[in-house]
C-alpha cells in the first residue's frame, strides 16, 4: 500500500561509482591515474592520485562532455535493486544530485532509466537541504521518509535540518563516524540496509 512520503537518493557514491569513472576519464586524457573504485578512495578529493591542477582540468573536461555521466558503473547489486523497487512501491523515489556539465539532466535521467531504477523526479541542485525542504510544497509528495548521501557536508547539513538521514559508508567519509549515532538512519553499508531502515522507521511512525 502506498504511504504518503518520499525518499531522497543521492546518485554519485550511492548508486553510481563516480570514482572509477573519474579515474578512467583522467587516464583517457593522458594523466597518470588509473581507475579506482569508490571503496578504495581514501579522501574526498582526487588530488590523492593527481595534482589539484590536474583534478580541476579533469572536471573542466567532464563538464564539457556529452556522455560522461552515462558511463558510470553501478554501485548496487540485484538485491539492492529489488529492495529499492519494494521501497518505490510504498514511497516516491526522488533523485537529488549536484552533478554539473553539458546535458547533465538528460544524461543522468538516461543513466537511471538504463539501469532499471525506479521512476522518479530528478532534481539537480547545489543545495540538497533546501531542495528536500521545498519538495513537499512543490511536488505534493508528503514528508521526507529518509535520505541517503555519501558526502560528509551534505549529511551533516541534512541532519542539522532534521532530515532522517543515512550516510553510505566509504573510507573517505569515516572521518565523521563520531556523528553516526546522531544520524536518525545511521551509517549503512548497502542500499538494501538503507531501505530496511526507512521501512522500519515508516512502520514505527504508522504504528505510533
Amino acid at each position: 500500500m502506498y504511504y504518503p512520503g518520499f525518499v531522497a537518493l543521492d546518485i554519485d557514491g550511492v548508486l553510481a561509482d563516480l570514482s572509477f569513472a573519474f579515474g578512467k576519464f583522467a587516464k583517457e586524457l593522458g594523466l597518470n591515474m588509473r581507475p579506482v573504485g569508490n571503496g578504495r578512495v581514501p579522501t574526498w578529493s582526487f588530488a590523492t592520485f593527481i595534482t589539484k591542477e590536474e583534478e580541476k582540468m579533469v572536471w573542466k573536461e567532464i563538464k564539457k562532455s556529452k556522455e560522461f555521466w552515462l558511463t558510470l558503473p553501478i554501485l548496487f547489486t540485484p538485491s539492492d535493486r529489488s529492495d529499492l523497487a519494494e521501497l518505490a512501491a510504498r514511497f516516491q523515489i526522488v533523485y537529488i544530485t549536484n552533478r554539473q556539465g553539458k546535458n547533465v539532466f538528460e544524461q543522468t535521467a538516461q543513466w537511471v532509466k538504463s539501469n532499471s531504477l525506479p521512476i522518479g523526479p530528478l532534481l539537480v541542485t547545489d543545495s540538497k537541504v533546501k531542495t528536500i525542504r521545498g519538495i513537499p510544497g512543490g511536488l505534493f509528495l508528503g514528508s521526507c521518509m529518509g535520505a541517503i548521501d555519501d558526502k560528509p557536508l551534505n549529511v551533516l547539513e541534512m541532519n542539522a535540518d532534521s532530515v532522517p538521514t543515512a550516510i553510505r559508508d566509504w573510507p573517505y567519509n569515516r572521518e565523521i563516524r563520531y556523528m553516526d549515532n546522531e544520524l536518525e538512519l545511521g551509517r549503512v553499508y548497502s542500499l538494501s540496509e538503507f531501505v530496511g531502515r526507512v521501512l522500519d522507521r515508516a512502520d514505527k511512525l504508522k504504528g505510533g
Side-chain angles (χ1 to χ4, degrees):
M1 178 173 140
Y2 186 80
Y3 187 71
F6 68 92
V7 176
L9 299 183
D10 178 34
I11 296 179
D12 299 317
V14 173
L15 301 172
D17 194 339
L18 173 60
S19 298
F20 185 90
F22 184 97
K24 184 173 181 289
F25 193 79
K27 187 175 181 180
E28 291 171 352
L29 290 174
L31 299 180
N32 185 25
M33 180 179 178
R34 62 186 177 83
V36 178
N38 233 75
R40 298 178 62 190
V41 179
T43 66
W44 184 255
S45 172
F46 292 110
T48 304
F49 306 101
I50 53 179
T51 68
K52 290 184 178 180
E53 291 72 23
E54 289 173 332
E55 182 180 12
K56 289 179 181 178
M57 184 270 285
V58 175
W59 278 117
K60 184 177 180 179
E61 293 302 314
I62 285 175
K63 291 176 183 179
K64 295 178 184 177
S65 175
K66 295 180 180 180
E67 59 182 26
F68 173 78
W69 297 111
L70 293 169
T71 69
L72 275 64
I74 61 173
L75 286 172
F76 53 88
T77 66
S79 179
D80 289 329
R81 184 191 281 117
S82 176
D83 288 339
L84 190 58
E86 178 185 350
L87 185 67
R90 191 163 172 186
F91 303 110
Q92 175 67 68
I93 301 298
V94 178
Y95 301 96
I96 304 181
T97 182
N98 188 27
R99 289 177 168 181
Q100 299 178 33
K102 185 171 293 187
N103 301 324
V104 67
F105 181 91
E106 291 79 7
Q107 288 187 56
T108 303
Q110 181 59 42
W111 185 91
V112 168
K113 181 179 180 180
S114 65
N115 284 291
S116 302
L117 290 168
I119 296 173
L122 168 62
L123 306 175
V124 180
T125 176
D126 59 1
S127 176
K128 293 185 178 180
V129 170
K130 290 181 181 179
T131 300
I132 289 174
R133 190 188 300 132
I135 284 176
L139 299 179
F140 305 101
L141 298 178
S143 61
C144 181
M145 302 304 296
I148 183 171
D149 208 296
D150 66 314
K151 186 176 183 179
L153 179 59
N154 289 339
V155 170
L156 295 177
E157 287 183 345
M158 288 190 291
N159 182 64
D161 204 56
S162 300
V163 175
T165 307
I167 186 167
R168 174 56 170 97
D169 178 74
W170 295 113
Y172 54 76
N173 61 37
R174 289 173 188 161
E175 65 193 56
I176 64 165
R177 269 184 166 169
Y178 67 92
M179 282 292 299
D180 288 0
N181 291 333
E182 302 293 326
L183 303 177
E184 186 168 352
L185 299 178
R187 181 174 292 268
V188 297
Y189 298 84
S190 70
L191 196 57
S192 288
E193 186 176 7
F194 169 69
V195 169
R197 294 191 185 185
V198 172
L199 293 177
D200 285 347
R201 177 178 183 272
D203 289 341
K204 290 177 181 177
L205 289 174
K206 193 174 182 180

